Amino acid sequence: MSDLRDLYQEVILDHNRSPRNFGPLEDADLHADGHNPLCGDKLRVAVKVDAGIVSDIRFEGSGCAISQASASLMTEGIKGKTLDDVRTLFDHFHRLVTDQTAPPDDSLGKLTVFAGVRDYPARVKCAILAWHTLLAAVDDNQDPVSTE
Ligand code: ZN
């Protein structure tokens, strides 16, 4: 794990230590389960939608620091957005963590801390798991999500 130390910026550590919006969501409108077998990360994302806007979002699960911090930061970034915004942010985040040549993207705010995972392909799946799971929830796809 020592080669990953430079990934673990303070914000990632902080969100792993005290994840935001963690726990079950009563009366969720949408939810999905995601699994990253490569690392063992498991997440459930639950969303409340009010007139096309994400009025509440919470996640549960267990996994490595990057998967937990990514889910935590995602829930902060998504609350109050429209479902269309969610899809746009997914695309931007996907580019951020997979495209070495992606220019800086101001729309992502704090989520840009995950740009560092680009250099660690195995970690990309940890960072993107929450987003794939969120997208499945938004699309009301009940098949479990797997990064494999
Ligand atoms: Zn992981």
Side-chain angles (χ1 to χ4, degrees):
M1 294 294 279
S2 60
D3 59 329
L4 294 171
R5 197 166 294 146
D6 58 343
L7 277 182
Y8 287 70
Q9 299 176 38
E10 193 48 45
V11 60
I12 294 180
L13 282 171
D14 174 47
H15 277 260
N16 178 53
R17 260 194 312 260
S18 23
R20 320 301 196 263
N21 305 305
F22 186 88
L25 180 61
E26 298 285 318
D27 306 321
D29 296 304
L30 300 165
H31 62 83
D33 295 302
H35 182 208
N36 173 17
L38 207 66
C39 180
D41 309 316
K42 282 188 177 165
L43 290 176
R44 163 167 281 208
V45 174
V47 180
K48 253 188 220 179
V49 181
D50 198 356
I53 289 171
V54 175
S55 59
D56 206 358
I57 174 168
R58 295 179 74 78
F59 77 101
E60 297 174 86
S62 59
C64 68
I66 289 183
S67 69
Q68 296 287 298
S70 179
S72 173
L73 278 152
M74 180 186 79
T75 59
E76 280 198 326
I78 286 301
K79 216 181 270 192
K81 304 280 193 207
T82 68
L83 297 183
D84 283 343
D85 290 338
V86 168
R87 291 188 179 89
T88 304
L89 277 169
F90 173 89
D91 289 339
H92 287 218
F93 187 80
H94 191 267
R95 199 176 311 139
L96 174 81
V97 297
T98 56
D99 184 353
Q100 305 272 2
T101 64
D105 190 338
D106 291 340
S107 72
L108 289 167
K110 268 196 275 182
L111 294 165
T112 54
V113 299
F114 291 99
V117 305
R118 278 178 204 168
D119 300 326
Y120 303 91
R123 293 275 136 175
V124 169
K125 292 180 177 178
C126 302
I128 203 110
L129 175 66
W131 288 86
H132 277 300
T133 309
L134 171 65
L135 211 65
V138 165
D139 290 339
D140 208 9
N141 180 354
Q142 295 306 307
D143 298 330
V145 175
S146 174
T147 53
E148 292 304 298

PDB file of all heavy atoms in Angstrom, residues 36 39 41 64 67 123 126, ligand 1:
ATOM      1  N   ASN A  36     -17.238  -4.261  -6.192  1.00  0.00           N
ATOM      2  CA  ASN A  36     -15.974  -4.281  -6.912  1.00  0.00           C
ATOM      3  C   ASN A  36     -15.178  -5.491  -6.439  1.00  0.00           C
ATOM      4  O   ASN A  36     -14.451  -5.421  -5.451  1.00  0.00           O
ATOM      5  CB  ASN A  36     -15.198  -2.979  -6.637  1.00  0.00           C
ATOM      6  CG  ASN A  36     -13.792  -3.013  -7.218  1.00  0.00           C
ATOM      7  OD1 ASN A  36     -13.479  -3.829  -8.071  1.00  0.00           O
ATOM      8  ND2 ASN A  36     -12.950  -2.120  -6.735  1.00  0.00           N
ATOM      9  N   CYS A  39     -11.344  -5.580  -5.402  1.00  0.00           N
ATOM     10  CA  CYS A  39     -10.862  -5.011  -4.142  1.00  0.00           C
ATOM     11  C   CYS A  39     -11.717  -5.454  -2.961  1.00  0.00           C
ATOM     12  O   CYS A  39     -11.262  -5.428  -1.829  1.00  0.00           O
ATOM     13  CB  CYS A  39     -10.861  -3.492  -4.269  1.00  0.00           C
ATOM     14  SG  CYS A  39     -10.308  -2.603  -2.807  1.00  0.00           S
ATOM     15  N   ASP A  41     -14.814  -4.072  -2.451  1.00  0.00           N
ATOM     16  CA  ASP A  41     -15.663  -2.942  -2.068  1.00  0.00           C
ATOM     17  C   ASP A  41     -17.126  -3.272  -2.357  1.00  0.00           C
ATOM     18  O   ASP A  41     -17.446  -3.772  -3.437  1.00  0.00           O
ATOM     19  CB  ASP A  41     -15.304  -1.688  -2.876  1.00  0.00           C
ATOM     20  CG  ASP A  41     -13.822  -1.389  -2.852  1.00  0.00           C
ATOM     21  OD1 ASP A  41     -13.233  -1.474  -1.756  1.00  0.00           O
ATOM     22  OD2 ASP A  41     -13.260  -1.069  -3.910  1.00  0.00           O
ATOM     23  N   CYS A  64     -12.403  -0.242   0.732  1.00  0.00           N
ATOM     24  CA  CYS A  64     -11.157   0.485   0.957  1.00  0.00           C
ATOM     25  C   CYS A  64     -11.427   1.981   1.109  1.00  0.00           C
ATOM     26  O   CYS A  64     -12.531   2.467   0.848  1.00  0.00           O
ATOM     27  CB  CYS A  64     -10.209   0.239  -0.200  1.00  0.00           C
ATOM     28  SG  CYS A  64     -10.753   0.979  -1.736  1.00  0.00           S
ATOM     29  N   SER A  67     -12.832   3.815  -2.041  1.00  0.00           N
ATOM     30  CA  SER A  67     -14.239   3.561  -2.380  1.00  0.00           C
ATOM     31  C   SER A  67     -15.168   4.285  -1.410  1.00  0.00           C
ATOM     32  O   SER A  67     -16.198   4.831  -1.818  1.00  0.00           O
ATOM     33  CB  SER A  67     -14.534   2.055  -2.395  1.00  0.00           C
ATOM     34  OG  SER A  67     -14.474   1.503  -1.100  1.00  0.00           O
ATOM     35  N   ARG A 123      -7.198   1.039  -8.903  1.00  0.00           N
ATOM     36  CA  ARG A 123      -7.895   1.943  -7.983  1.00  0.00           C
ATOM     37  C   ARG A 123      -9.018   2.710  -8.661  1.00  0.00           C
ATOM     38  O   ARG A 123      -9.888   3.255  -7.990  1.00  0.00           O
ATOM     39  CB  ARG A 123      -6.896   2.936  -7.380  1.00  0.00           C
ATOM     40  CG  ARG A 123      -5.893   2.282  -6.486  1.00  0.00           C
ATOM     41  CD  ARG A 123      -6.450   2.125  -5.105  1.00  0.00           C
ATOM     42  NE  ARG A 123      -6.152   0.813  -4.596  1.00  0.00           N
ATOM     43  CZ  ARG A 123      -6.446   0.423  -3.355  1.00  0.00           C
ATOM     44  NH1 ARG A 123      -7.025   1.233  -2.522  1.00  0.00           N
ATOM     45  NH2 ARG A 123      -6.168  -0.785  -2.967  1.00  0.00           N
ATOM     46  N   CYS A 126     -12.233   1.305  -7.703  1.00  0.00           N
ATOM     47  CA  CYS A 126     -12.632   1.684  -6.338  1.00  0.00           C
ATOM     48  C   CYS A 126     -13.300   3.054  -6.352  1.00  0.00           C
ATOM     49  O   CYS A 126     -14.321   3.273  -5.705  1.00  0.00           O
ATOM     50  CB  CYS A 126     -11.412   1.725  -5.415  1.00  0.00           C
ATOM     51  SG  CYS A 126     -10.517   0.172  -5.319  1.00  0.00           S
TER      52      CYS A 126
HETATM   53 ZN    ZN B   1     -11.269  -0.549  -3.269  1.00  0.00          ZN
END
